[in-house]
Each structure stands twice: as structure tokens, then as C-alpha cells.
Amino acid sequence: KAGVTQTPRYLIKTRGQQVTLSCSPISGHRSVSWYQQTPGQGLQFLFEYFSETQRNKGNFPGRFSGRQFSNSRSEMNVSTLELGDSALYLCASSSGLFFGPGTRLTVL
Amino acid sequence: GQQVMQIPQYQHVQEGEDFTTYCNSSTTLSNIQWYKQRPGGHPVFLIQLVKSGEVKKQKRLTFQFGEAKKNSSLHITATQTTDVGTYFCAANTGTASKLTFGTGTRLQVTL
């Protein structure tokens, strides 16, 4: 079985722009969770989707949003990027048991 | 919100020495999970502990869950350079889907 895939792997944006990240869970897995990892704050939960519905949400501003499609693929969107949004964004399949390689976002 | 503290933040050992990282919570945990993240990599699930006082072993790694289910430890016997990385504990908070991660312990092993 293929693992969790995330695209793109690296991204450079400027302040004020928006970005969309994609995650495909392991085939057959319906749950996708998103985490932000920074040196200062560590790993923080963003949100989780299950069967196209947001099941749980972390403490992030409304600029961070997500969705899940019928094939379980998920996207997260960050609007009006700030410098502090620079981070490794990880998605996980099956409530955290399997993490993808992450998308490294740099905001200039 | 729930916090999971982990100590130490960093440990540097010589190959062959033992290593232990500790995870503590102010509230009772339903379970605890451990992950390893290699430099430049992503967290990889190691194990989940559920029962009070549970001890599990994976080769040189020993995982313990405290009797009160508020703390946990990971012990590595005779470290090797392949053990280098950051070890995180994580607990399910609220619903089963949300993980709260500890701050992590970065392990450096030198020959």
C-alpha cells in the first residue's frame, strides 16, 4: 500500500498570498488530520476530516481552513499568509498513526 | 487546554549508553503514543500504550505508562547512531482524533 502523500513538498510564498496544500491518505483510510510543526511551538493540531466532514479543530485562526473530498483526499488552505506561518505542515492518516512527508512552507 | 510536557529537551550520549525520555501530563490520559522523527523527516509511529502500568518492548526500546496514567517513559538500551532523532509522546485529547504532542526530546548519539 502506498503511504500518505503530500504535495507540494516545498513551497515559497510571500506575505499576503494564499496557499493550498494537498494530502492523500493511505488507500481506504477515511480520516485525515493536519498538523503544523515549528521550532517554537512544536507539533500543533490544526483539524481533522472524516468522510468529508470536519470532526475536530485546533486553535488556529480562521485563515486556516480545510476540506476533504469524496475520495478522502484533503486540502488545507491558508489565506493572507504571515511570516509566522512558515512551518512544516504534516498530514496524517488514521488519526495520526501514519504521517506523510510534509510540505515545507516558507513565507517571505 | 491539556499540556503534555516532555523532558529532557535534548540529550547527547555516546553510542552504547542508555537514554530515557519522560512525558508528563497534568490530567489522566486515555492512552499515550510515541513517535520518532529523524532529522528532516516526519513523525513515525512507534507504539501506543493504553493500560495503567503497561510496559511494552520493541527490541532495545522499552515503553512504560504510569500507574496513574499521567506519565510515560521511553528507554533505549545501548543506543546506536541509528537512534538519532527527536522522540515525541502524544496523547489523544478530547475526541480520539486530536493528538496533543509533547515538546519532544532530541537525541544525539556519537561514536
Side-chain angles (χ1 to χ4, degrees):
Chain A
K1 263 186 181 178
V4 179
T5 58
Q6 291 188 246
T7 56
R9 293 293 310 278
Y10 303 91
L11 206 48
I12 299 176
K13 292 284 187 179
T14 55
R15 279 179 297 174
Q17 288 187 308
Q18 75 163 21
V19 66
T20 299
L21 313 181
S22 180
C23 169
S24 291
I26 292 170
S27 178
H29 289 199
R30 293 157 63 188
S31 161
V32 173
S33 307
W34 288 90
Y35 290 83
Q36 181 197 64
Q37 185 174 32
T38 60
Q41 298 299 316
L43 275 153
Q44 293 188 290
F45 175 81
L46 280 155
F47 28 64
E48 190 219 13
Y49 286 87
F50 182 86
S51 294
E52 302 178 65
T53 301
Q54 188 180 84
R55 190 158 70 171
N56 210 341
K57 190 177 188 305
N59 298 321
F60 278 82
R63 300 185 297 108
F64 292 81
S65 63
R67 59 177 175 169
Q68 187 179 32
F69 301 95
S70 58
N71 62 357
S72 293
R73 187 177 70 87
S74 177
E75 289 181 347
M76 68 162 279
N77 184 277
V78 188
S79 62
T80 320
L81 284 166
E82 301 176 359
L83 296 179
D85 297 333
S86 294
L88 178 66
Y89 289 89
L90 293 155
C91 84
S93 190
S94 194
S95 297
L97 291 183
F98 307 97
F99 277 85
T103 294
R104 172 78 58 188
L105 172 64
T106 301
V107 182
L108 302 175
Chain B
Q2 179 167 40
Q3 288 189 320
V4 180
M5 304 305 294
Q6 201 171 340
I7 55 169
Q9 279 192 314
Y10 172 76
Q11 186 147 13
H12 182 182
V13 300
Q14 299 271 323
E15 189 177 48
E17 292 182 334
D18 292 356
F19 159 78
T20 305
T21 172
Y22 301 90
C23 193
N24 296 288
S25 168
S26 56
T27 58
T28 302
L29 304 171
S30 56
N31 60 59
I32 196 150
Q33 299 171 26
W34 285 92
Y35 294 79
K36 175 184 179 182
Q37 185 173 20
R38 292 181 188 274
H42 58 276
V44 174
F45 174 79
L46 295 176
I47 208 160
Q48 176 172 278
L49 305 173
V50 179
K51 299 177 184 175
S52 166
E54 189 170 15
V55 178
K56 287 189 176 180
K57 293 190 176 186
Q58 289 180 350
K59 297 183 181 178
R60 295 178 294 104
L61 277 60
T62 302
F63 304 84
Q64 289 190 302
F65 202 6
E67 293 289 342
K69 299 182 76 174
K70 288 185 176 182
N71 56 72
S72 181
S73 65
L74 157 58
H75 179 83
I76 302 178
T77 304
T79 55
Q80 300 174 357
T81 54
T82 53
D83 295 325
V84 164
T86 301
Y87 292 84
F88 293 95
C89 61
N92 289 112
T93 53
T95 68
S97 59
K98 179 180 175 182
L99 285 175
T100 296
F101 279 83
T103 45
T105 296
R106 186 160 72 92
L107 172 64
Q108 180 63 35
V109 181
T110 51
L111 295 170

